């Protein structure tokens, strides 16, 4: 069962880690490339702030973004701001998200995300936690997948394995760690089942598109190419 209060506390802690790491940069570092193709660190920070706004919209029953074009334009507009403005925006938008999520609500209701995707309101805090943690890694400032909280890594693998379950482009796939944790995904494409072995962070890196999977051991075929998130 999802514990929204616990997840919101995790969001708060992850945001403080992000702010602490970002606060050590300068304007020049913000303008440097992130690990996401075509995005500077400023793009990543701007996206995180606007994502917080968007999730407030979701919680309050409004469209997540006015349009995909508006979303992209807002990120481009804000990406080149000085570090101080990014930090102020991150703090303010993050606090507004937490305040909206702490309002009494029916967490069992279904909410609308982007591109026709729906989800339980109960998973919105975890979705925000995911945004903050993975984009912290994307900044390339020394925070790696191995530094993520273990609980987050396990739950993110659960979430992403579920997302790709039955996907028509992915053969049946089982990911296994040395300590026996197991995730099954894919299954919509024809082909022999594949087993993927590695650490939970390396499995997460493959599932979320942050690593090429070269650290994983694949049995029964080649490592499935996963569609973009």
């Amino acid at each position: 069962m999802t514990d929204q209060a616990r997840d919101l506390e995790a969001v708060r802690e992850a945001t403080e880690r992000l702010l602490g790491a970002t606060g050590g940069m300068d304007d020049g570092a913000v303008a440097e490339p992130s690990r996401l193709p075509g995005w500077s660190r400023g793009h990543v920070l701007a996206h995180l702030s606007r994502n917080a706004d968007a999730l407030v919209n979701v919680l309050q029953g409004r469209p997540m973004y006015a349009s995909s074009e508006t979303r992209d334009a807002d990120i481009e507009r804000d990406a080149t701001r000085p570090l101080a403005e990014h930090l102020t925006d991150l703090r303010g938008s993050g606090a507004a998200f937490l305040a909206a999520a702490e309002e009494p609500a029916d967490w069992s209701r279904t909410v609308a995300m982007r591109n026709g995707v729906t989800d339980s309101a109960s998973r919105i805090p975890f979705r925000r936690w995911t945004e903050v943690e993975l984009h912290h890694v994307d900044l390339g400032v020394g925070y790696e997948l191995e530094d993520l909280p273990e609980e987050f890594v396990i739950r993110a693998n659960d979430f992403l394995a579920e997302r790709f379950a039955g996907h028509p482009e992915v053969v049946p796939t089982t990911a296994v760690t040395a300590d026996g944790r197991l995730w099954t995904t894919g299954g919509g494409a024809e082909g022999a089942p594949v087993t993927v072995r590695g650490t939970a962070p390396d499995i997460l890196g493959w599932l979320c598109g942050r690593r090429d999977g070269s650290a994983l051991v694949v049995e029964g075929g080649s490592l499935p190419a996963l569609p973009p998130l």
Side-chain angles (χ1 to χ4, degrees):
M1 180 178 294
T2 302
D3 184 337
Q4 291 79 39
R6 181 183 175 90
D7 285 352
L8 288 172
E9 182 57 31
V11 171
R12 185 176 286 106
E13 292 171 359
T15 302
E16 287 303 314
R17 284 194 296 274
L18 173 70
L19 287 166
T22 307
M25 296 195 296
D26 58 25
D27 291 346
V30 171
E32 291 174 353
S34 73
R35 292 175 173 176
L36 294 179
W39 270 17
S40 68
R41 290 184 176 124
H43 284 89
V44 174
L45 297 175
H47 165 63
L48 278 167
S49 293
R50 301 291 70 79
N51 171 264
D53 295 343
L55 291 178
V56 171
N57 288 338
V58 169
L59 289 172
Q60 296 180 349
R62 297 185 295 273
M64 187 170 182
Y65 295 100
S67 67
S68 294
E69 293 77 14
T70 299
R71 170 189 177 272
D72 295 345
D74 287 349
I75 293 170
E76 287 295 332
R77 178 198 67 208
D78 295 342
T80 58
R81 296 178 302 181
L83 173 63
E85 292 185 24
H86 277 297
L87 293 174
T88 298
D89 197 6
L90 281 168
R91 288 192 187 95
S93 60
F97 167 76
L98 290 170
E102 288 166 351
E103 290 289 326
D106 174 13
W107 286 105
S108 67
R109 72 192 188 280
T110 298
V111 294
M113 309 297 293
R114 294 179 65 205
N115 302 323
V117 174
T118 60
D119 203 353
S120 169
S122 64
R123 289 221 286 196
I124 298 303
F126 180 73
R127 282 180 175 270
R128 178 59 182 173
W129 188 13
T130 299
E131 292 284 333
V132 175
E133 293 286 19
L134 292 185
H135 286 313
H136 189 166
V137 174
D138 293 333
L139 288 173
V141 291
Y143 190 65
E144 304 296 341
L145 296 178
E146 285 75 16
D147 298 314
L148 297 168
E150 181 180 12
E151 177 190 356
F152 172 78
V153 173
I154 300 307
R155 289 181 59 191
N157 283 347
D158 290 344
F159 179 79
L160 292 168
E162 178 185 335
R163 180 164 183 163
F164 294 122
H167 197 284
E169 299 175 15
V170 183
V171 299
T173 304
T174 302
V176 186
T177 62
D179 60 0
R181 292 191 179 276
L182 180 150
W183 295 273
T184 59
T185 194
E190 293 185 5
V194 169
T195 299
V196 176
R197 300 186 184 277
T199 67
D202 275 327
I203 290 170
L204 173 59
W206 166 61
L207 286 171
C208 72
R210 265 67 178 184
R211 291 185 180 171
D212 63 8
S214 58
L216 301 171
V217 176
V218 186
E219 302 169 357
S222 58
L223 184 69
L226 298 176
L229 292 173

